[in-house]
Amino acid sequence: MDTMTAPYAPAAPFGRLAAAMITPFTADDELDTDGAQRLAIRLVDDGGCDALVLSGTTGESPTTSDAEKETLLRAVAEAVGNRARIIAGVGTSDTRHTVALARSAERAGAHGLLVVTPYYSRPTQEAVSHHLRTVADATGLPVMLYDIPGRTGTALTARTLLRLAAHPRIVAVKDCAYDPLKSAKVLAATDLAYYAGCDEQILPLRALGGSGCVSTAANAAPRAVRALLDAYDAGDTAGAARRQLALVPLIEAVTGGEHPGTVTVKALLNHLGLPAGPVRGPLLAADAELTSRLADALQTTLDRTADAATAVPAAVPG
């Protein structure tokens, strides 16, 4: 069989599969706490998610108030209890505001913090390091750094990551840098847990020693993402590859086009009758044509995932 002994399992302070959860709103654009609880329970109990990232970009953090972020966190924490880790997105371009959000998240029951590099102001690496250490010093919670230069305009360099790894509460990285050499250098030299922040990178990063993923696609197909990680960790590398490829239609539809993941995921969840609701401006809701394409992509991925599960592994020559 085309399998191998299960690989070394890296440290995973936030589990292996974290969903970058959307923030449900009601039809009149208010926070839907009941919907958020139902969605969280589905993702954890039915979908196999080990963690939920709240108030990230997919969770519309730029357009939710501080009070809404705290209310959302308390509601989700109540819904899932200790069955999953709750990671609160607290990153802003203002150090004082980020510290305040971090402390609020700790009081509200978060298990960890997701902190993005400050955006728009384009700080130096020294300034970025100072910002991130200041936030990590502000609470007792473990911190996942968010490296996504395509959105922030500022990448975390390998040197900066190596320095930040020395902080006792900086334990992980959400990697959206599309720089595998940098990721490899940091993985080889530190104990930082790396999580793929881009769904197409889940298997490549896991094979390199990554801990798991923070997945946008998991909002709609959590079990398909979980099956990929389970296959690889069981030593079925060929099966894991099939499952990663099966996800391609959904990944491309959700994050590969001009529409942000918040828009596409909410369109899919609304189509499925799951809690989501409208998006907040400046985002615009998906139209019927886009929603139809998304639904088709989801069905294709689910069909291919089912086929991958029943495929007979090829025999190893000799």
Side-chain angles (χ1 to χ4, degrees):
M1 295 178 63
D2 188 12
T3 60
M4 68 174 195
T5 303
Y8 166 73
F14 302 111
R16 295 180 303 153
L17 172 57
M21 195 176 110
I22 57 105
T23 299
F25 298 129
T26 63
D28 56 357
D29 203 30
E30 297 296 324
L31 182 66
D32 181 3
T33 52
D34 289 341
Q37 289 184 321
R38 294 199 308 274
L39 183 59
I41 290 169
R42 173 184 178 269
L43 290 170
V44 172
D45 293 345
D46 297 335
C49 291
D50 305 307
L52 302 173
V53 174
L54 305 181
S55 298
T57 308
T58 305
E60 296 181 81
S61 59
T63 53
T64 53
S65 68
D66 293 2
E68 286 177 319
K69 290 178 174 65
E70 182 173 339
T71 299
L72 173 69
L73 199 159
R74 289 185 184 277
V76 171
E78 178 184 3
V80 302
N82 291 323
R83 303 192 305 281
R85 310 289 284 174
I86 306 299
I87 307 166
V90 299
T92 75
S93 56
D94 174 359
T95 303
R96 291 182 301 173
H97 188 195
T98 304
V99 165
L101 287 173
R103 290 172 174 163
S104 173
E106 184 176 40
R107 291 192 299 269
H111 300 108
L113 305 173
L114 176 68
V115 188
V116 72
T117 54
Y119 40 85
Y120 193 76
S121 54
R122 305 284 295 270
T124 64
Q125 289 295 299
E126 181 180 1
V128 170
S129 294
H130 184 268
H131 170 87
L132 295 171
R133 287 196 303 269
T134 299
V135 178
D137 286 338
T139 78
L141 297 177
V143 170
M144 177 187 286
L145 305 177
Y146 190 5
D147 189 12
I148 183 167
R151 283 186 180 265
T152 65
T154 303
L156 287 166
T157 66
R159 181 180 180 185
T160 296
L161 286 162
L162 293 175
R163 291 171 60 195
L164 290 170
H167 194 289
R169 282 185 294 283
I170 295 177
V171 301
V173 177
K174 180 183 176 184
D175 185 7
C176 287
Y178 288 101
D179 187 344
L181 178 59
K182 178 173 72 173
S183 303
K185 289 169 65 175
V186 177
L187 278 164
T190 75
D191 292 326
L192 287 173
Y194 259 68
Y195 289 82
C198 305
D199 285 294
E200 65 271 28
Q201 295 290 327
I202 295 173
L203 182 56
L205 189 61
R206 186 66 170 168
L208 198 62
S211 298
C213 61
V214 178
S215 171
T216 301
N219 279 280
R223 282 179 286 184
V225 180
R226 178 66 183 243
L228 158 60
L229 294 168
D230 286 345
Y232 182 78
D233 291 349
D236 183 7
T237 55
R242 288 194 299 271
R243 286 165 172 79
Q244 177 75 70
L245 295 175
L247 284 167
V248 167
L250 179 61
I251 295 169
E252 184 174 26
V254 167
T255 61
E258 62 177 317
H259 299 279
T262 304
V263 172
T264 54
V265 168
K266 281 199 163 183
L268 263 179
L269 295 186
N270 284 323
H271 172 77
L272 295 170
L274 295 169
V279 294
R280 283 183 175 171
L283 300 179
L284 294 175
D287 60 19
E289 181 183 358
L290 175 57
T291 300
S292 178
R293 294 202 306 269
L294 289 162
D296 289 345
L298 174 60
Q299 189 59 55
T300 299
T301 280
L302 295 178
D303 291 343
R304 291 183 181 179
T305 299
D307 291 342
T310 58
V312 177
V316 176

